[in-house]
Amino acid sequence: MKNRKIWMGVVLTLLCTLLMGVSVFAANTTMKNKKWVTGECGVFVDTDKDGVVDDFRSNGKAYYKLKIPKQGYIMVDMKTSKLPKQEEYSKSLEDDWAFATSVTLLNSSKKEVDESVFSTGERSICFSSAVKKGTYYLRVEGEQKYKLRYTFKAVGKLSKVGKRAKNAPGLKKGTTAKNLLYPDPQMNVYKISLTKKSKVSITVQSKIKSLSGLRVQLAVKKGNKYRFVDKKGKILSNDDLIWWPVEGKGKISATLPKGIYYIKLSTVGGSGYYTLKWK
C-alpha cells in the first residue's frame, strides 16, 4: 500500500508538470552566463482532425532565472525560427499571420524592468540592460521556436552623475566618465563650464543596445527653460528636442559661447554601459 501511494504521487506530479507546460520548466531553470537555452512557445495543431492545421496552442509564458553577482550590464541575444506546421497554419488563414516572440527583463519579483523586445519572422535581436547584484528573470512568449542567452559584464567604480540637470555634477575637461545608464530613470546628466567661447568636443563609447541607441543631448539654461544645441552648434530659441544618436563610438563637436552646458544621455527601450570624455 505504501509503495502504491508513492507511485500515485509520482504520477500526479508528472501530470501536473505536463499540464502546466514549458512555463513550469523554464521558471525553475537558472541560465548560465554566455550559455544558450532553447524553447518553443507552443504548438500548431489540427483540432478537428480534418488534415488542416487550424489552431495554435500556447505553452504560456516561459521564465528563465539570471543570478547577477555584482553591478554591471547584460547583453541579451535571442534567435527565432519557425515552429513545426507553422506554414500549414498560415495557408489556412485568409490574412497573413504575424508570428512574433517577445523577451522581457524582469526583477526578482517578476516586475518589468524595461519594455519588451520583439522578434518577428526568423531573425536575431539583441538588447542590453544595466543591472545590480541580484536575481532577474527573462520572460519569453509568442508563437515561435527560440534560442536565448545572456552575457554579463561586471563594471567597477562608477563616476558621479545626476539624474536631472539640477543635480548634475561638473565634468572636468580631459576627464573620462564611466557609467551605467539604468532603466529607471533612463537619463544621466553632467555639466561643463565654459569661461569663454570655446570649441567643445565630446566623445562617447557606448555598449548600449536599444530601440534608439544612446541619445546624447547638449543643452543650456536660458531663463527658466533649457535650450538644446543643434548639430551645427546653434542654440535653439524654441522647445525643439535635438539629439545625437550613438551606436558604438560617437563624437559631438561645437563652438559654444561662454556658459554652463548640460550633457544629457538617455535611451528608449534599453540601458547599459558607456564612457564619455570632454576634450
Side-chain angles (χ1 to χ4, degrees):
M1 181 67 71
K2 183 177 180 181
N3 289 337
R4 185 180 176 185
K5 288 182 178 179
I6 294 173
W7 171 247
M8 289 298 294
V10 171
V11 171
L12 287 172
T13 300
L14 288 172
L15 285 173
C16 289
T17 301
L18 288 172
L19 288 171
M20 296 181 72
V22 173
S23 294
V24 173
F25 177 75
N28 295 323
T29 300
T30 299
M31 295 180 69
K32 295 182 179 179
N33 189 23
K34 301 181 182 180
K35 300 295 183 181
W36 291 97
V37 296
T38 59
E40 296 184 356
C41 292
V43 60
F44 292 96
V45 294
D46 176 7
T47 56
D48 52 13
K49 307 300 180 182
D50 64 352
V52 179
V53 176
D54 57 7
D55 193 18
F56 172 74
R57 292 181 180 173
S58 173
N59 285 334
K61 300 174 182 178
Y63 296 89
Y64 296 94
K65 183 185 289 187
L66 285 61
K67 292 183 178 179
I68 304 300
K70 57 183 68 176
Q71 73 175 9
Y73 64 96
I74 58 172
M75 290 286 183
V76 177
D77 294 286
M78 184 171 72
K79 298 179 180 180
T80 55
S81 58
K82 296 176 183 177
L83 282 169
K85 300 184 180 181
Q86 177 181 314
E87 291 183 352
E88 292 181 45
Y89 180 71
S90 298
K91 291 176 183 177
S92 70
L93 301 178
E94 294 183 1
D95 299 323
D96 290 335
W97 180 267
F99 299 101
T101 303
S102 71
V103 56
T104 311
L105 182 65
L106 313 176
N107 62 21
S108 59
S109 301
K110 293 188 178 178
K111 302 295 184 182
E112 292 188 9
V113 173
D114 208 341
E115 299 175 18
S116 298
V117 180
F118 285 87
S119 171
T120 56
E122 295 186 73
R123 58 186 288 255
S124 300
I125 61 173
C126 177
F127 71 91
S128 64
S129 185
V131 288
K132 298 177 181 179
K133 179 180 178 180
T135 299
Y136 294 82
Y137 293 88
L138 289 173
R139 182 184 67 204
V140 180
E141 55 185 320
E143 303 95 12
Q144 296 172 294
K145 292 173 63 176
Y146 60 87
K147 290 178 64 178
L148 182 70
R149 74 173 177 184
Y150 80 95
T151 303
F152 170 72
K153 180 70 174 179
V155 176
K157 186 177 180 180
L158 302 176
S159 305
K160 291 183 179 180
V161 69
K163 295 303 179 183
R164 48 181 59 88
K166 67 179 182 181
N167 60 15
L171 181 64
K172 294 182 179 180
K173 191 171 183 179
T175 300
T176 299
K178 301 178 180 181
N179 253 309
L180 291 165
L181 178 60
Y182 283 98
D184 185 23
Q186 288 172 310
M187 181 175 287
N188 282 0
V189 188
Y190 306 87
K191 66 181 178 183
I192 59 175
S193 300
L194 303 181
T195 56
K196 60 180 180 180
K197 184 176 181 179
S198 308
K199 182 177 180 179
V200 173
S201 180
I202 300 168
T203 56
V204 181
Q205 183 72 49
S206 173
K207 298 292 185 180
I208 295 173
K209 295 284 186 180
S210 71
L211 297 175
S212 66
L214 179 62
R215 292 180 172 184
V216 183
Q217 295 173 294
L218 194 58
V220 63
K221 192 171 184 179
K222 296 289 185 180
N224 294 323
K225 293 187 176 182
Y226 291 92
R227 302 297 184 184
F228 289 95
V229 178
D230 68 13
K231 295 181 180 180
K232 295 181 180 179
K234 179 182 177 182
I235 300 173
L236 302 179
S237 58
N238 52 37
D239 295 329
D240 286 351
L241 298 176
I242 300 292
W243 64 80
W244 285 261
V246 175
E247 293 280 356
K249 190 174 183 179
K251 185 177 182 179
I252 300 167
S253 295
T255 299
L256 301 172
K258 173 183 176 180
I260 297 176
Y261 293 84
Y262 297 87
I263 305 169
K264 299 184 177 183
L265 301 100
S266 61
T267 64
V268 175
S271 59
Y273 178 71
Y274 68 88
T275 64
L276 179 147
K277 187 175 183 179
W278 167 35
K279 296 181 180 179

